[in-house]
Amino acid sequence: QVQLTESGGGLVEPGGSLRLSCSASGLTTFDRRCMGWFRQAPGKEREGVATFPFADKFAYADSVKGRFTVSRDNDKNSLYLQMNSLNTDDTAVYYCAAGGWNGAPCRLTSGDFHYWGQGTQVTVSS
């Protein structure tokens, strides 16, 4: 059974930083798997934030480029999202997601992902 568990969310002031973590279990071929981060703000649709494909370029939402960095540790079956220069528009529930493997589509779209975590709340407020 696949399980994705996010952690690292919380309350931060504008301009601050947070690092989200996602631990994956029951997910074979993690090192060859498309992984991503999505977020959903109140009253808005879920949107792609960053993807980490296998053997392809990262993808970031325009709104986070230059501020967020996605990374992974295949030995730990973990995905990370370093978020800097946070602003109030970044307030949302952040979800870790796993998609296909070996070059499967890995875009900033929910349809490319098959497994989802429960989410972690990020609130940016003064």
Side-chain angles (χ1 to χ4, degrees):
Q1 182 178 358
V2 175
Q3 188 169 359
L4 303 176
T5 305
E6 302 96 338
S7 61
L11 174 64
V12 63
E13 292 185 349
S17 298
L18 281 175
R19 185 180 189 234
L20 304 183
S21 300
C22 170
S23 177
S25 61
L27 188 63
T28 58
T29 63
F30 178 88
D31 60 332
R32 302 170 73 84
R33 180 82 62 166
C34 160
M35 299 295 296
W37 289 99
F38 288 73
R39 68 185 181 186
Q40 188 166 17
K44 295 186 178 181
E45 293 187 354
R46 187 175 298 186
E47 64 171 346
V49 175
T51 63
F52 197 129
F54 168 70
D56 203 346
K57 296 181 179 180
F58 306 154
Y60 291 97
D62 288 343
S63 59
V64 307
K65 283 181 181 176
R67 301 188 298 121
F68 290 12
T69 303
V70 63
S71 62
R72 67 197 293 167
D73 185 336
N74 291 330
D75 291 337
K76 296 182 178 179
N77 279 13
S78 293
L79 183 74
Y80 306 99
L81 185 67
Q82 178 67 43
M83 305 186 295
N84 298 327
S85 301
L86 286 161
N87 58 60
T88 55
D89 290 339
D90 296 317
T91 295
V93 177
Y94 284 71
Y95 298 91
C96 174
W101 59 293
N102 263 7
C106 193
R107 299 162 294 183
L108 290 168
T109 177
S110 299
D112 287 353
F113 293 84
H114 315 307
Y115 305 103
W116 296 84
Q118 293 299 308
T120 184
Q121 176 70 47
V122 172
T123 302
V124 184
S125 175
S126 56

